[in-house]
Amino acid sequence: MTVAHHLQTFHGLRVHTLPEAGTAELPEPDAVAWRLDCFEAGDIPFPEVWGHFTAAVDTTRVRALVLGPWWDDEYCELRPVLDLVLADAERFPALRALFLADVTGEECEVSWLQLTDVTPVLERFPLLEEFGVRGGDSQGLGEEPLSLRPVRHEALRVLRFESGGLPGPVVRAVAACELPALERLELWLGVQQYGGDATVADLAPILAGGRFPALRHLGLQDSELQDEIAAAVASAPVVAQLETLSLSMGTLTDTGAEALLGGQPLTHLKRLDLHHHFMSGAVTERLRTAVGSAGTEVDLSEHCEPHRWRDEEWRYVAVSE
């Protein structure tokens, strides 16, 4: 399975894709999250799309920006495009949210999106409150892989990495960042085949609690290590400060579920998201009773059956290639 839909809302705003030049009346600059898409703009190069956008819209009022498909050749490298955006950072004093690579599987597989070092985004936009990234460089085709350096950022409240294979160095960098305002952290960890080589040990600083004092939602998702992650979360100090927890989209089985059932209480959570899982019916009902009976919303949808090949079983994450 791959990412199937574009963002419909972002940062609490309706996403509006910039049309071709002169084809429609534009909304107020601060009323929508602006989405730039080379395909929708008439298959023109991104520098022309960017030029049209910055000329037609009062950038000083833009609150949220979403980058859709940006390439005009077979390589989907983000760095030249991101450099263009960062060069104009001073023209966006009101920008509070940025999403990189709002691309579906029909446009480009998530594993083929050639990203870059995204640290400069946090450095150039010190007032940014929400930052989302989709993709990686698991095929090794880009000049550099998705990367992040540890930073301190005072304003960031939401950080989201969507990947079929999130590199271990990125996970370790997130865990080393100082983000005192961070309320929501979501990591799609993916599989090793597509570059997802992060380990449970890499998550230890996050799970220990206190690293992000304002954290209220934690998503450790889309992992082939979902049972191991569940076992670590079962005794993780960070859980006490959370309101919502997601261990969804991965290969969670009865083994991980039993660890959750035998661990610390989860009944203080408003929501526990375990959708897309490989748990048995009996264990899902035990979870529903143990956690849901206290008023916690428990998402146990999308029960999956392993693929079987000869005498082996294969469990799959929701998003990989």
Side-chain angles (χ1 to χ4, degrees), residues 36-256:
L36 307 185
D37 183 328
C38 286
F39 300 165
E40 293 291 333
D43 291 331
I44 62 176
F46 185 85
E48 294 184 32
V49 176
W50 186 251
H52 165 43
F53 172 60
T54 55
V57 176
D58 181 358
T59 60
T60 65
R61 295 172 57 195
V62 171
R63 297 165 55 197
L65 185 60
V66 177
L67 299 189
W70 62 84
W71 57 90
D72 56 2
D73 57 26
E74 62 181 312
Y75 298 106
C76 306
E77 295 182 5
L78 181 67
R79 183 174 183 178
V81 167
L82 188 58
D83 285 347
L84 190 63
V85 175
L86 294 173
D88 279 345
E90 292 183 358
R91 300 178 66 177
F92 292 84
L95 191 71
R96 297 296 181 267
L98 176 63
F99 191 95
L100 303 181
D102 180 32
V103 178
T104 68
E106 291 184 353
E107 295 162 334
C108 181
E109 297 290 359
V110 67
S111 63
W112 285 77
L113 293 169
Q114 309 303 311
L115 300 190
T116 184
D117 181 6
V118 297
T119 315
V121 170
L122 299 176
E123 294 173 333
R124 294 300 304 275
F125 294 103
L127 300 180
L128 201 69
E129 297 176 357
E130 183 168 358
F131 184 36
V133 181
R134 178 178 296 162
D137 187 13
S138 61
Q139 302 297 326
L141 298 176
E143 294 181 359
E144 57 181 316
L146 170 64
S147 61
L148 176 73
R149 289 176 279 109
V151 295
R152 180 177 178 85
H153 195 286
E154 299 288 346
L156 196 68
R157 295 189 295 108
V158 181
L159 179 60
R160 178 185 179 101
F161 282 94
E162 300 180 358
S163 179
L166 192 60
V170 173
V171 175
R172 291 191 290 274
V174 169
C177 284
E178 295 182 42
L179 306 172
L182 191 69
E183 298 173 3
R184 297 182 61 86
L185 174 62
E186 189 167 318
L187 305 176
W188 296 13
L189 298 166
V191 300
Q192 190 165 16
Q193 179 183 357
Y194 289 103
D197 56 358
T199 67
V200 175
D202 294 331
L203 300 170
I206 299 171
L207 296 177
R211 185 71 195 174
F212 306 127
L215 195 67
R216 296 298 178 264
H217 170 80
L218 177 61
L220 302 175
Q221 303 163 243
D222 198 54
S223 176
E224 60 186 346
L225 304 178
Q226 208 71 63
D227 281 345
E228 295 178 40
I229 293 171
V233 166
S235 59
V238 73
V239 173
Q241 72 185 72
L242 300 179
E243 295 179 353
T244 55
L245 170 67
S246 180
L247 304 177
S248 63
M249 302 171 60
T251 59
L252 186 68
T253 71
D254 286 357
T255 300

Side-chain angles (χ1 to χ4, degrees), residues 6-17 27-35 61-66 94-99 102 129-130 157:
H6 293 137
L7 294 175
Q8 299 299 307
T9 62
F10 180 55
H11 200 60
L13 300 169
R14 175 178 61 87
V15 173
H16 177 82
T17 299
E28 290 296 316
D30 54 0
V32 298
W34 291 93
R35 183 174 181 274
R61 295 172 57 195
V62 171
R63 297 165 55 197
L65 185 60
V66 177
L95 191 71
R96 297 296 181 267
L98 176 63
F99 191 95
D102 180 32
E129 297 176 357
E130 183 168 358
R157 295 189 295 108

